[in-house]
Amino acid sequence: MATAAAILSLYLLFIFEGEVQQLLGNLMGSGASHDTIRVFYLILLSILGYVLVRALNALIFGLAFRLRRGFEAPTLVRNIFSILAFTLLFFLVFSRLYPNVNLGALFTTSAIFGVILGLALQDTLGNFFAGISLQADRPFQVGDVITVGAQRHTGVVEEITWRAIKLRTFQNHIVLINNSTAAKEAIEVGPRGNLNARVVFFNTLYTDSPAKTIHVVREAVREADNVSIKIPPIVRIRNLGDNGVEYEVKYWLEDYAKYNDTDALVRQRIWYAFRRAGLNFAYPTRTLLVERRTHPGVRDGAGGAIIERLSAVDIFAPLSAEETAMLAGAAVSHVFAPGETVIHAGDPGSSMFVVHNGRVCVQVSENGRPRTIATLGEGDFFGEMALFTGEPRTAHVVALEETEVLEIKHAAMKRIFDTNPDLVESLSHIISERRQGLIAPAETSTRGTDASAGILSAIKRFFGLS
Ligand code: CMP
């Protein structure tokens, strides 16, 4: 509206120049000279020209840009437009008011002056043209977080003017970086609309389980404010260091400009999550560990839990309390990470395992692909087939999560069999049933009892039982 009004007024001023000047003369009284009237006419034209350029600027680079691109045009572009528009208006008005003055000649004669001015304004012009090339390239926009140059100035871009980039640092300071300097330096950009990532580091003691640590930290970080829910955080071990296991957590931010606060919040959440989960930060210390071991693999204080676990295993139900305690004393504990293989099919094996904590799956290969035939949890056992028959392992057993198993070796089982001959029979039934599960459904036969009898005699032979 303002633009249209300004254009119309300027047009009318040009068309009715004589009438307007006469009107001005009347207004100023009879004493006003012709030159004074022309000066007032010029002032009127200038005011209207100024309003027109401002209005056009707002219309094109404010409104139209926002509608088409979603943001206002940079200050530099607006300034260039204004300079060009004012120059054009100046030529128009000047040639209208002083048609006899040759502007071309005037500019030619001032060429030497122009060279002198150019040399004097070398830096300023350098900044100006670097600013234009930055605008053309558009490597970043207002609102992006950038890090510039060797001094690594980091902040949010507030403005790009014809002279400099204006950054607001995270200390709320303003840093001005000359366009020509920025054009020469490497610029790291965290675009505003992009999911930018950050990495935070922490260390744990070697005694803390990596699977548990990774799970606890991932859950703690994903719930922190400003952490994007679009990509789950990644927690991984980056080094087995002198002072503990070194981890990094990588997370993506909704608003990258707040990364300092979010890093701090993430560290805080990790601290509380560690506290709740009983995990420990490692710091540069040297610890002298004095360990009294009752039996390799069985940790102090864990003996009771192992006896409890073994007495709940159905095949060991007939054992006396002393026999279960003896078995627990002979058991060796092993911890496996999620996805680790506990038993490889085809390997020889002389021990069986009881799942103490966690879960495993039993897999056979079918057409080169693994097929899960059973999932075993706490209190279940596996590996008994090779142990009792002396044959190679029949299947792969893989940990599904962090899993602690208790290994029982041939010698310990032999002692148990000597005093519990009936145990062999119940085991032979279990082994027979499991063997049926190993065969693909189409091949399943009904020879259950025959197979069980065969296994029974195989176990007796292998363990030298009568
Ligand atoms: P072993 O053959 O020593 O090693 C692989 C183990 O997988 C095997 O002993 C059993 O303990 C276990 N296994 C094999 N088949 C089955 C099944 N059908 N169900 C449960 N466990 C099984």
Side-chain angles (χ1 to χ4, degrees):
M1 191 67 187
T3 319
I7 291 175
L8 190 67
S9 318
L10 263 180
Y11 181 71
L12 292 175
L13 278 184
F14 271 114
I15 297 291
F16 301 108
E17 184 190 334
E19 286 79 355
V20 174
Q21 290 196 19
Q22 201 176 352
L23 187 71
L24 281 173
N26 292 344
L27 286 174
M28 292 164 78
S30 54
S33 72
H34 183 63
D35 282 342
T36 320
I37 294 171
R38 275 168 79 90
V39 167
F40 272 92
Y41 178 67
L42 187 65
I43 291 173
L44 201 61
L45 278 181
S46 306
I47 292 171
L48 275 172
Y50 177 78
V51 172
L52 175 69
V53 172
R54 291 301 300 258
L56 275 176
N57 206 322
L59 185 74
I60 301 173
F61 299 106
L63 192 67
F65 242 75
R66 200 174 315 126
L67 287 180
R68 270 188 74 107
R69 304 223 182 154
F71 58 90
E72 288 192 4
T75 319
L76 182 63
V77 175
R78 287 170 159 236
N79 289 348
I80 292 173
F81 171 80
S82 301
I83 291 169
L84 291 178
F86 283 130
T87 315
L88 189 73
L89 269 176
F90 169 77
F91 272 98
L92 269 176
V93 172
F94 196 89
S95 54
R96 178 88 192 176
L97 290 181
Y98 305 98
N100 302 330
V101 179
N102 184 352
L103 269 179
L106 194 73
F107 274 88
T108 318
T109 46
S110 58
I112 296 172
F113 175 70
V115 171
I116 295 167
L117 199 69
L119 283 173
L121 294 178
Q122 215 173 19
D123 283 352
T124 313
L125 288 176
N127 281 328
F128 179 74
F129 287 111
I132 292 177
S133 89
L134 275 179
Q135 290 302 329
D137 255 7
R138 302 197 63 77
F140 52 82
Q141 292 178 20
V142 171
D144 291 352
V145 175
I146 63 168
T147 303
V148 191
Q151 283 166 303
R152 300 198 62 77
H153 291 297
T154 301
V156 182
V157 178
E158 285 218 327
E159 205 180 351
I160 308 163
T161 67
W162 59 271
R163 198 184 75 75
I165 302 163
K166 189 172 163 190
L167 282 190
R168 187 170 292 274
T169 68
F170 296 117
Q171 290 77 42
N172 208 21
H173 299 158
I174 297 287
V175 175
L176 291 168
I177 297 154
N178 288 339
N179 287 341
S180 53
T181 312
K184 282 184 227 138
E185 301 279 359
I187 306 177
E188 187 184 310
V189 184
R192 195 171 34 158
N194 189 44
L195 272 186
N196 301 294
R198 290 282 299 169
V199 179
V200 167
F201 304 103
F202 62 93
N203 296 353
T204 69
L205 294 185
Y206 273 102
T207 44
D208 289 339
S209 140
K212 182 175 174 186
T213 307
I214 288 170
H215 174 74
V216 165
V217 172
R218 198 194 296 125
E219 291 311 307
V221 173
R222 80 192 313 168
E223 282 170 13
D225 282 353
N226 199 28
V227 171
S228 171
I229 50 166
K230 292 187 193 119
I231 309 177
I234 294 174
V235 187
R236 55 193 167 200
I237 297 178
R238 45 191 287 271
N239 191 27
L240 300 174
D242 287 348
N243 300 312
V245 185
E246 295 169 13
Y247 289 87
E248 65 181 22
V249 50
K250 181 175 178 182
Y251 70 93
W252 283 261
L253 293 102
E254 293 290 347
D255 182 356
Y256 190 61
K258 294 188 187 147
Y259 74 71
N260 271 329
D261 292 342
T262 315
D263 278 2
L265 182 65
V266 160
R267 291 188 192 104
Q268 193 199 68
R269 290 290 169 91
I270 294 175
W271 189 93
Y272 282 106
F274 264 41
R275 182 84 176 234
R276 285 193 301 275
L279 296 168
N280 304 282
F281 287 103
Y283 36 86
T285 47
R286 286 282 176 273
T287 312
L288 185 62
L289 292 176
V290 182
E291 192 177 358
R292 246 184 56 234
R293 301 186 106 189
T294 48
H295 190 279
V298 177
R299 289 153 302 180
D300 279 350
I306 291 176
I307 293 174
E308 208 174 302
R309 170 67 64 221
L310 294 184
S311 53
V313 177
D314 46 5
I315 53 161
F316 299 137
L319 303 189
S320 68
E322 292 78 45
E323 285 170 330
T324 312
M326 188 276 286
L327 209 57
V332 182
S333 143
H334 304 281
V335 180
F336 289 86
E340 263 196 293
T341 303
V342 185
I343 280 180
H344 289 272
D347 280 0
S350 58
S351 52
M352 64 176 284
F353 301 85
V354 173
V355 180
H356 194 24
N357 295 300
R359 270 176 335 125
V360 296
C361 68
V362 182
Q363 294 179 334
V364 287
S365 287
E366 216 171 75
N367 303 325
R369 295 168 139 229
R371 177 171 72 92
T372 298
I373 54 169
T375 302
L376 307 174
E378 288 166 13
D380 290 331
F381 61 89
F382 59 90
E384 77 294 344
M385 290 186 177
L387 170 64
F388 297 133
T389 62
E391 291 167 8
R393 299 286 191 196
T394 53
H396 296 290
V397 179
V398 180
L400 287 173
E401 53 196 62
E402 187 180 84
T403 301
E404 183 177 1
V405 294
L406 304 172
E407 183 182 15
I408 301 167
K409 298 210 167 123
H410 182 280
M413 276 318 291
K414 173 122 177 51
R415 263 181 281 161
I416 297 294
F417 281 155
D418 286 340
T419 47
N420 292 273
D422 295 346
L423 215 62
V424 184
E425 199 160 339
S426 64
L427 266 167
S428 65
H429 289 308
I430 292 169
I431 294 177
S432 161
E433 267 171 38
R434 285 188 166 182
R435 275 199 176 162
Q436 292 292 311
L438 282 170
I439 306 165
E443 300 168 37
T444 316
S445 75
T446 50
R447 295 180 299 118
T449 44
D450 292 359
S452 181
I455 293 164
L456 180 63
S457 50
I459 297 176
K460 284 186 169 167
R461 243 192 341 270
F462 189 59
F463 274 81
L465 306 171
S466 51

